[in-house]
């Protein structure tokens, strides 16, 4: 299931569904009222700090533009990260004023693993193809070398037999 949460203009979570709690390890009670950026989105993939000014969720309610992020990371309660894709859409009150953002995210760990497995398989397949090509080339080279060497050896043996028989003029 997709994790869903709401974020107010101060960056605090206003609601969260059970899937969000199950995926992140944070209970709904821990999430609601807490700064979602500090809990879930504080660092980039490489571990460098992710400032709130850069955060697409915050930018959504600042400029009133919905966003879709196809490759990012969120952080779990235990400190581990996981890859996500998510959308951030402005939340409006009855008067149409933006009061926050709703975030819908999906853990894409399985998809990332499948992509890595496919990439690894393609690399192995390319390696096997190179080995097969090298085998074909080696076979072709061996054939091209064996033919003249066999002819030379046959002619040499014939000459030796003719010389040993004594019936041939040695000059």
């Amino acid at each position: 299931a997709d994790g869903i949460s709401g974020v107010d203009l101060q960056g605090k979570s206003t609601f969260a569904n059970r899937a969000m709690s199950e995926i992140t390890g944070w209970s709904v009670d821990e999430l609601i009222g807490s700064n979602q950026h500090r809990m879930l989105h504080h660092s980039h993939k490489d571990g460098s700090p992710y400032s709130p000014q850069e955060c697409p969720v915050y930018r959504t309610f600042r400029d009133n533009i919905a966003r879709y992020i196809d490759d990012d990371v969120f952080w779990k309660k235990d400190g581990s990260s996981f890859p996500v894709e998510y959308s951030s859409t402005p939340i409006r009150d009855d008067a149409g004023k933006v009061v926050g953002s709703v975030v819908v995210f999906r853990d894409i760990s399985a998809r990332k693993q499948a992509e890595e497995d496919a990439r690894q398989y393609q690399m192995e397949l390319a390696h096997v193809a190179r080995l097969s090509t090298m085998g074909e080339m080696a076979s072709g080279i061996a054939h091209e070398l064996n033919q003249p060497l066999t002819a030379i050896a046959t002619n040499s043996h014939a000459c030796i037999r003719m010389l040993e028989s004594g019936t041939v003029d040695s000059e």
Side-chain angles (χ1 to χ4, degrees), residues 1-73:
D2 292 346
I4 303 172
S5 69
V7 180
D8 67 14
L9 296 176
Q10 288 75 45
K12 295 180 180 176
S13 294
T14 55
F15 63 87
N17 69 349
R18 188 178 343 171
M20 179 164 186
S21 176
E22 290 171 359
I23 294 169
T24 64
W26 299 97
S27 71
V28 173
D29 292 336
E30 290 173 311
L31 289 165
I32 294 177
S34 299
N35 183 292
Q36 72 84 33
H37 186 75
R38 281 190 219 127
M39 294 176 81
L40 302 170
H41 207 206
H42 51 76
S43 302
H44 291 283
K45 293 177 202 178
D46 63 3
S48 62
Y50 202 156
S51 75
Q53 290 74 24
E54 295 178 73
C55 181
V57 175
Y58 287 17
R59 289 175 53 207
T60 294
F61 59 70
R62 287 188 187 124
D63 62 13
N64 196 20
I65 298 173
R67 290 177 167 72
Y68 172 74
I69 311 300
D70 64 352
D71 189 15
D72 206 345
V73 295

Side-chain angles (χ1 to χ4, degrees), residues 111-154:
R111 182 173 72 197
K112 289 278 192 181
Q113 185 60 49
E115 289 170 356
E116 177 60 25
D117 292 347
R119 188 186 65 75
Q120 186 65 30
Y121 177 75
Q122 288 296 329
M123 286 176 47
E124 290 172 9
L125 194 59
H127 179 71
V128 168
R130 285 191 302 272
L131 288 176
S132 176
T133 301
M134 282 190 346
E136 290 174 14
M137 286 176 50
S139 175
I141 290 170
H143 177 75
E144 293 299 321
L145 289 174
N146 282 336
Q147 289 296 89
L149 290 176
T150 301
I152 291 169
T154 302

Side-chain angles (χ1 to χ4, degrees), residues 69-130:
I69 311 300
D70 64 352
D71 189 15
D72 206 345
V73 295
F74 281 177
W75 297 84
K76 294 183 178 188
K77 184 176 183 176
D78 67 8
S80 63
S81 66
F82 61 100
V84 293
E85 65 180 9
Y86 65 95
S87 64
S88 179
T89 307
I91 299 175
R92 295 180 182 79
D93 63 10
D94 292 337
K97 180 181 173 192
V98 174
V99 294
S101 300
V102 63
V103 178
V104 179
F105 73 92
R106 175 174 295 139
D107 181 345
I108 57 172
S109 298
R111 182 173 72 197
K112 289 278 192 181
Q113 185 60 49
E115 289 170 356
E116 177 60 25
D117 292 347
R119 188 186 65 75
Q120 186 65 30
Y121 177 75
Q122 288 296 329
M123 286 176 47
E124 290 172 9
L125 194 59
H127 179 71
V128 168
R130 285 191 302 272

